[in-house]
Amino acid sequence: MSNTIWVLVELENGQPVRSSLEVLGKAAKLGRAEAVVLGAAAAHVAPTLGEYGAEKVYVHADAAYDNYLTLPAVETLSALLKERQPALLLLATTYDLRDIAARLNIRNNTGLITDATDLAFEEGQLKVTVPWGGETVVTATHPQQGTGIVLTRPKAFSVERYEGRTAEIETLHISISAEAQTIKVLETVEVKSEGPALEDASVIVSGGRGLGKPENFRLVEALATALGGAPGATRAIVDAGWLPYSYQVGQTGKTVKPTLYIACGISGAIQHLAGMKGSKYIVAINKDEHAPIFSVADYGVVGDALTILPKLTEEVQRRKA
């Protein structure tokens, strides 16, 4: 079928991750969406994927996909792609799926497009929208015949529900070679955090180099807590060692779309704007009235974030009391 789109559905704690469901909904709008789900919980998850757009689900419920990194999934998908030849393999951009996509591209010479924010078929030709450098948008495609691979930017699509849709389920019986079971997961460590996850928060307060020193990031955290939101950071202060990578918002960090984004001491580099300019409302606090961040802000405050943040937090707490 010319417009059959496969989506590899990633599992976390036995459940499909939101980013995979976003991609599955987009696939259902493009053509015939078929999901591939691998791992011990695959058989349990498969019947639910019809409600998110899948017309067919390929299932391989082997714990090897959970216990070994990347290679079992690559081996299975590589064999399936050669046999079934869908028009497109669509994946969300996560650490594991980027690794899988790159390896599949090399093994199958499929062609790989990354960071897509939209896709469409025009007269049978796939057209992929890719932001380039934060301000330029290009249209990419796969010139050769066969299955192409596209990695989509997080939050590019919403989760679509198809109430009452049931998917055909096909159980796979592909053997996983010993060579694919060489990189084993020895331990999984969960980093505990308070408040909402950055990518799911409806309110994000982010800090940049304008905060001056690492100790001042507590002002960002205090406002985020008062608003019931999550703290974020620019690449500059993450690279400087102030915070771990999990805080980073931007083209090489996390793409977020909260209802409210407050940028504190952030100049507005293109890399950062690419990760947050889809926010519904943006408030910028910066001493430099010519800072690029003001070009995307709905509300701008010219002033020292170190002075403004404590007063803003105090006012929020007063109104909540």
Side-chain angles (χ1 to χ4, degrees):
M1 189 172 293
S2 60
N3 277 15
T4 297
I5 300 100
W6 280 12
V7 175
L8 178 58
V9 175
E10 193 170 26
L11 302 182
E12 186 175 289
N13 298 322
Q15 296 297 323
V17 300
R18 179 184 174 89
S19 58
S20 289
L21 297 180
E22 293 170 355
V23 173
L24 188 56
K26 178 61 179 179
K29 292 182 177 181
L30 289 172
R32 176 182 168 86
E34 297 186 350
V36 180
V37 58
L38 309 171
H44 172 72
V45 168
T48 69
L49 297 179
E51 296 182 9
Y52 294 96
E55 296 188 39
K56 184 172 183 177
V57 182
Y58 298 93
V59 176
H60 201 320
D62 192 321
Y65 298 108
D66 307 318
N67 298 332
Y68 296 89
L69 284 179
T70 305
L71 294 179
V74 171
E75 185 175 84
T76 297
L77 282 166
S78 182
L80 281 173
L81 291 174
K82 289 175 182 177
E83 178 185 343
R84 309 295 175 95
Q85 296 187 347
L88 180 66
L89 175 62
L90 201 55
L91 306 98
T93 298
T94 67
Y95 297 117
D96 287 345
L97 297 188
R98 282 188 297 190
D99 192 358
I100 289 170
R103 291 174 183 271
L104 285 173
N105 180 37
I106 295 300
R107 287 197 183 198
N108 293 25
N109 192 30
T110 55
L112 171 61
I113 298 173
T114 64
D115 205 31
T117 57
D118 200 9
L119 305 93
F121 283 102
E122 297 179 8
E123 298 180 354
Q125 179 84 48
L126 177 68
K127 303 289 186 179
V128 184
T129 301
V130 181
W132 190 263
E135 295 183 353
T136 304
V137 176
V138 301
T139 300
T141 190
H142 291 114
Q144 72 268 33
Q145 296 296 314
T147 304
I149 304 175
V150 175
L151 283 162
T152 67
R153 180 179 286 191
K155 302 288 184 180
F157 315 114
S158 59
V159 175
E160 303 290 341
R161 294 300 297 266
Y162 296 80
E163 300 292 343
R165 175 181 287 188
T166 57
E168 174 191 354
I169 297 175
E170 180 178 334
T171 301
L172 302 173
H173 300 285
I174 298 173
S175 297
I176 302 172
S177 71
E179 290 78 7
Q181 300 178 63
T182 55
I183 309 174
K184 189 173 185 178
V185 179
L186 298 179
E187 183 182 9
T188 300
V189 178
E190 183 177 350
V191 179
K192 295 183 178 180
S193 61
E194 297 181 1
L198 185 61
E199 54 268 46
D200 298 325
S202 59
V203 176
I204 294 175
V205 184
S206 281
R209 283 183 295 187
L211 295 176
K213 56 184 178 180
E215 293 79 8
N216 291 333
F217 192 78
R218 61 180 176 78
L219 301 176
V220 168
E221 293 176 314
L223 180 57
T225 299
L227 291 170
T234 63
R235 177 177 177 174
I237 66 173
V238 169
D239 285 351
W242 292 20
L243 296 158
Y245 175 74
S246 59
Y247 282 76
Q248 185 174 317
V249 174
Q251 193 167 26
T252 55
K254 293 180 179 178
T255 300
V256 297
K257 287 187 178 181
T259 301
L260 174 62
Y261 189 90
I262 304 178
C264 310
I266 295 173
S267 63
I270 288 175
Q271 190 271 359
H272 187 75
L273 297 183
M276 48 66 71
K277 65 181 180 180
S279 306
K280 187 172 183 180
Y281 299 108
I282 299 172
V283 176
I285 304 170
N286 200 292
K287 289 190 292 186
D288 180 6
E289 63 181 290
H290 301 295
I293 191 69
F294 289 122
S295 68
V296 299
D298 298 285
Y299 301 95
V301 180
V302 179
D304 188 351
L306 301 184
T307 301
I308 295 169
L309 280 172
K311 294 182 180 298
L312 188 54
T313 301
E314 182 181 339
E315 181 63 17
V316 171
Q317 292 171 333
R318 186 186 69 80
R319 296 195 180 198
K320 289 172 66 178

